[in-house]
Structures are given as structure tokens and as C-alpha cells.
Amino acid sequence: MTAPSRPVKTRFCPSPTGLVHVGAMRTALFNWAHARHTGGTFVFRIEDTDAARDSEESYRHLLDCMRWLGMEWDEGPEVGGPNGPYRQSERAEVYRDVAGKLLASGHAYESFSTNEEVDARRRAAGQDPKLGYDNADRHLTDAQKQAFRDEGRAPVLRLAMPDEDVVWTDLVRGEVRFAAGSVPDFVLMRGNGAPLYPFTNPVDDALMGITDVLRGEDLLPSTPRQIALYRALTDIGVAQGTPRFGHLPLVFGDGNKKLSKRDPQSNFDVYRERGFLPEGLINYLALLGWAIADDRDVFSPAELVEAFDVTRVSANPARFDLKKAEAINATHLRALPVEEFLARVTPYLATAGLVAEPPTEEQARVLEAIAPLAQERMIVLSDAVGLLGFLFTEDVEIEPAAAEKQLGAGAGEVLDAAVAALQELPEWTTPAIETALKEALVEGLGRKPRQAFGPVRVAVSGRTVSPPLYESMELLGRDRTLARLAAARATATG
């Protein structure tokens, strides 16, 4: 990877409109990781010039998502920096000033043609109107411009595209070339003076000293326009050259199509609410186009930063695989120290009304005892509500599917034998419970372990999957355990 002449400076510049897309957060992550890996600077900028769609709520939510993932920025909202303001809605004067310089230098020009006139000219020349603007206004005389103004027309401002091929070496894709004349002169500012994204984005990059632009592959067709604008901005002293581009692979959902905003899997909030760990989600997002090694999928954010090389990002589309994301998160969850696991899982139990916040002394005792066992059986933090809820309630609600599977024919005999074995137990400990149940159900009734303990597990926890049975029963205590076995016996058959 050829190093830029200046220290690396990347940016993430989303629009605060509605839901946060996982693909956008992947883009943020790659820019953040690239900056951190190279010892550079990461800029967070907000593109909020679309008053009809932007909202303060979405803006706040974006900041919260970034901080939750641990992607702190060096310049940007609430952090500050030498190149602010960092919200486009507060930079109108900047854009007017730069537009004036481009117009005065001849890099930009006033264009008065209407869409209808452009279409008519294309058709008259035997061309497809879909080719768009035909650069016809490049050389209007002052008299022609005045005549249009006298008609009441307000000109847009266009950039004059270069007459040669636009070529760059993409950090992800290698050489990319757009033929001369394939990209028409494009609009920088509307007739009412409102700046457009193809103008504001490179201007902000130039003034903020951005060296490396990592963005989605879907934006690649607009890159020749940006490069042409950077060259013009460099010529008038606004930019210090053209940044390097890297176009990241699209993120696909099911089928061979881009993961759309309408796809539930695209909504970043879903993963936070389910209880993905930030480090688990960062790990998986990094795999959407990059790999730390051919034989390794699990790594920490620090290991990502140390190993990240943008030139090793794949140009092929990345498929969002929820099962793989869950498996990676489960690995990170199991690796948490017990104290950290408890700190992260307790809010989910408290929100469900199962424990106090902070937990009572007795609740804390139960949580500390069950935590190492629960970690092995959880994928996301919210799993604790279903998995551990039975330990914090007086009675248990048995899931219908679990009852149907385990409380049918023969279950009554198992539950009767379990009650008989447990109610006279001298000491209520895990080893004693295990010995008593195995003697009564496996040896006494001749049942296979699955048939013997399935009805007991469902009676005690309400589910077919729970933390280890004997430990759970010890934590529940003798009275609650026996009461649940009796209640299940009343509904069981045989």
C-alpha cells in the first residue's frame, strides 16, 4: 500500500435520516480501523442538508451508535477540531465562498438550460435523452446569460469536466478508468443557491485534509466527478491534492441483491436491542469484506486495528449471514470475565422485571452462581431473560411446546419418582440432587437419561433448554423445586 504524502486522515459522513444501516456502520468501521492502524485521524462529519429527511433524533442516534461500538472520533460533533463546524447545515457560507472561487477561476460556469431543452437537443441530434446534460452552456456569452436572466431564469452552477479520461488506482479495486466525455458537467449548486452533495462532500474533504476516502461500491459512478472537483479545488488552493479512494464491497442480504433498508437484518438497532456485544458486532462487521487470516474468524477490536490493511479488502460482495454473526457474538460472550458478563446481562433481566437494579443480595448470589453456566448457553445478552427467568420467579410458566414434548405419556411416573427422591433429601446440594435423581429415575425406573431428566427440566425451568439442571435446582431451593414438580405433575399424563 503506497503511503499518502500526508498522515492518513479518514472520515465517516452519514446523513441523519431514519434507521442506522449495518452497511453504513461497516463503512464507518473500516474508516476507523484504517485511521487507527496507520496512527492517523478519524473524522466524523454529518451530512444534514436535506431538511425534509434529516432529524435531530437521527443525528443523536448516530452519535450514540458510534460510541456504543467504541468508534470514538478525533474530530467531529461534540469533540470539536480545527476544521469545524462538522455539520453541513452549519457550513453554508463555506460552500458559497468556494463556489464563487470556482466560478471566478473558470472551473465552474453558470448553466441556464432546462431539462426539456436538454432532452430536445439530444433528440434533435439523434441521441438518447437519458444521456443527460450535453455541456451546451459551457461557452455562453455574457449577452446570452443576461438574456436568460431577463427571462427570469436562475442558473445552476456546473463544474466543467476534464476532456481526458479520469483514472485512479483504487485501494480495493486497482485501476479504474472512466473515458473522456462519459461523465457530463454536473451541478454544484441549484439555482436557489443550495449546494448539492457532489459539491459539499469533496469541499469538506478538501478543507478537512482528508487523505483516504473509503466508501461503498454503489458510489463508484460518482467518483470521476469528485476527482475532477478535487483537481479544480487544488488548482484554486482549497485542496492539497486528491485523496486516495477505496470502494468497499456491497453487503448483500438473501439472494443476489444489496441489503436494503427495508430488510429487518439491515437495522443496526436490532442487534443492540437483542444484546449483541459491541466487540462481537465489530468482529462480524469487519468480516464483511475483510479477513484477519484465512483460518481465523474471531478477534478483538484491538487485534482488528493492529492487522487492518485496506488493500486486503475484497472487491466481491459480502453476504450478511445472521447465523455466523450470532456464532461470533456467542464466542465473545463466553470469553467475558464473569463480573463483566454480570454487568452487561443484569440490565436485560432488570428491564424484564426479573431482578432489581441493582440486584438484591439474594439475586446477586444466584446470578454469580449461575453466570458461568449461563454464558455457555447464550448467544446474545437478551437470551438471559428466557434462560434464567425461572430462577427469579415464584412460579414458572411452562412453554406449550416444552409441555407437549416432555409432559406427555410417562412423565407423571418420572415426576412422582423425582418428588419422592428429593423431598426427604438430607442436604440440598448439587451433588446430592444429582445422585438422588439418577438413582430414582435412571436406575429405579430404568429410563434413559434424556427421558428421565427431560420432564424434570421442563417442570423446573418451563423450557427444554436451561442451565445445568442440578445446579439450577440447588439455586431454586427445595420448596420452589418441589412446588414446581408438583404443579407439572398435575398437568402431566401417565
Side-chain angles (χ1 to χ4, degrees):
M1 180 170 66
T2 305
S5 56
R6 295 169 283 155
V8 166
K9 195 171 192 181
T10 67
R11 51 49 164 192
F12 175 54
C13 46
S15 297
T17 54
L19 301 175
V20 176
H21 193 285
V22 293
M25 297 311 285
R26 191 279 309 265
T27 297
L29 176 62
F30 282 14
N31 278 282
W32 174 83
H34 181 44
R36 293 290 174 263
H37 175 75
T38 55
T41 303
F42 178 54
V43 178
F44 184 27
R45 195 170 73 219
I46 301 293
E47 309 216 326
D48 59 348
T49 52
D50 189 344
R53 297 175 63 227
D54 298 334
S55 74
E56 188 66 17
E57 182 183 9
S58 293
Y59 162 68
R60 291 281 159 206
H61 186 49
L62 269 168
L63 268 59
D64 181 50
C65 288
M66 292 284 288
R67 287 191 168 123
W68 179 77
L69 273 180
M71 293 193 294
E72 297 289 341
W73 50 98
D74 304 304
E75 290 183 34
E78 299 182 356
V79 171
N83 301 295
Y86 293 92
R87 298 181 68 169
Q88 280 190 346
S89 58
E90 300 170 1
R91 296 174 63 83
E93 192 60 44
V94 172
Y95 305 133
R96 276 195 293 271
D97 178 59
V98 174
K101 291 178 179 176
L102 287 169
L103 184 61
S105 67
H107 286 290
Y109 63 91
E110 294 177 320
S111 172
F112 294 83
S113 291
T114 65
N115 291 336
E116 292 75 18
E117 288 169 340
V118 173
D119 285 356
R121 288 198 298 264
R122 288 288 190 190
R123 287 194 172 92
Q127 299 168 340
D128 186 345
K130 290 180 182 177
L131 291 171
Y133 178 64
D134 56 359
N135 300 352
D137 294 355
R138 270 193 184 188
H139 306 294
L140 291 176
T141 64
D142 289 343
Q144 288 172 314
K145 293 176 189 175
Q146 189 57 51
F148 283 129
R149 283 194 168 85
D150 291 344
E151 291 178 22
R153 296 196 193 191
V156 299
L157 191 67
R158 292 183 184 272
L159 185 81
M161 288 293 292
D163 295 326
E164 67 270 2
D165 293 358
V166 177
V167 187
W168 74 94
T169 302
D170 197 273
L171 293 169
V172 175
R173 290 159 201 283
E175 183 177 295
V176 182
R177 179 181 298 269
F178 280 73
S182 62
V183 181
D185 298 348
F186 64 100
V187 177
L188 304 175
M189 300 187 83
R190 291 194 176 99
N192 62 4
L196 298 182
Y197 169 83
F199 176 52
T200 58
N201 187 274
V203 167
D204 288 345
D205 284 349
L207 293 172
M208 295 179 187
I210 302 302
T211 64
D212 293 51
V213 174
L214 308 183
R215 59 192 200 145
E217 177 191 349
D218 52 327
L219 296 173
L220 192 146
S222 70
T223 306
R225 297 185 299 183
Q226 296 215 341
I227 288 175
L229 179 53
Y230 284 119
R231 291 173 181 170
L233 293 173
T234 301
D235 187 58
I236 63 173
V238 172
Q240 298 178 56
T242 301
R244 304 186 303 172
F245 281 87
H247 287 89
L248 309 175
L250 295 178
V251 178
F252 279 13
D254 293 329
N256 293 318
K257 58 184 179 180
K258 185 181 174 186
L259 187 64
S260 76
K261 287 188 175 181
R262 292 181 293 277
D263 191 315
Q265 286 190 183
S266 73
N267 182 1
F268 185 78
D269 290 347
V270 169
Y271 305 96
R272 286 188 68 178
E273 290 161 6
R274 281 189 62 199
F276 271 75
L277 305 178
E279 56 268 45
L281 200 48
I282 275 184
N283 186 162
Y284 183 66
L285 290 175
L287 293 173
L288 296 175
W290 181 81
I292 195 166
D294 292 341
D295 57 351
R296 184 178 170 202
D297 279 340
V298 178
F299 45 86
S300 69
E303 289 171 323
L304 161 65
V305 166
E306 184 178 348
F308 190 78
D309 179 351
V310 67
T311 64
R312 289 181 47 234
V313 171
S314 171
N316 299 320
R319 189 172 305 281
F320 194 94
D321 182 342
L322 181 58
K323 291 296 183 190
K324 185 168 184 178
E326 289 175 340
I328 284 172
N329 192 74
T331 303
H332 281 276
L333 195 148
R334 286 193 294 272
L336 288 177
V338 172
E339 301 77 17
E340 182 66 22
F341 171 75
L342 286 172
R344 298 205 203 187
V345 84
T346 298
Y348 287 86
L349 296 169
T351 299
L354 294 169
V355 301
E357 195 163 22
T360 65
E361 190 175 328
E362 173 60 18
Q363 289 168 347
R365 182 189 71 80
V366 172
L367 276 173
E368 287 169 15
I370 204 68
L373 307 172
Q375 277 180 269
E376 295 300 316
R377 288 161 171 77
M378 287 170 52
I379 293 172
V380 291
L381 293 170
S382 63
D383 288 346
V385 174
L387 189 69
L388 304 181
F390 75 98
L391 292 170
F392 301 99
T393 56
E394 195 57 39
D395 303 308
V396 69
E397 187 174 330
I398 295 177
E399 293 179 351
E404 184 177 347
K405 184 175 182 180
Q406 293 291 353
L407 298 183
E413 182 183 34
V414 169
L415 296 173
D416 285 339
V419 170
L422 294 172
Q423 60 187 359
E424 302 301 331
L425 207 57
E427 58 176 22
W428 194 259
T429 63
T430 294
I433 294 167
E434 180 177 3
T435 299
L437 286 179
K438 284 182 175 177
E439 287 178 356
L441 307 182
V442 178
E443 297 169 20
L445 296 181
R447 299 291 180 101
K448 293 178 180 177
R450 187 179 297 243
Q451 296 170 330
F453 302 118
V456 177
R457 186 183 302 279
V458 169
V460 168
S461 70
R463 295 158 53 104
T464 56
V465 178
S466 76
L469 179 60
Y470 314 121
E471 288 86 344
S472 298
M473 293 168 74
E474 180 184 341
L475 290 169
L476 270 177
R478 188 192 304 266
D479 292 344
R480 275 195 296 175
T481 298
L482 292 174
R484 291 182 186 187
L485 290 170
R489 174 66 184 93
T491 66
T493 58

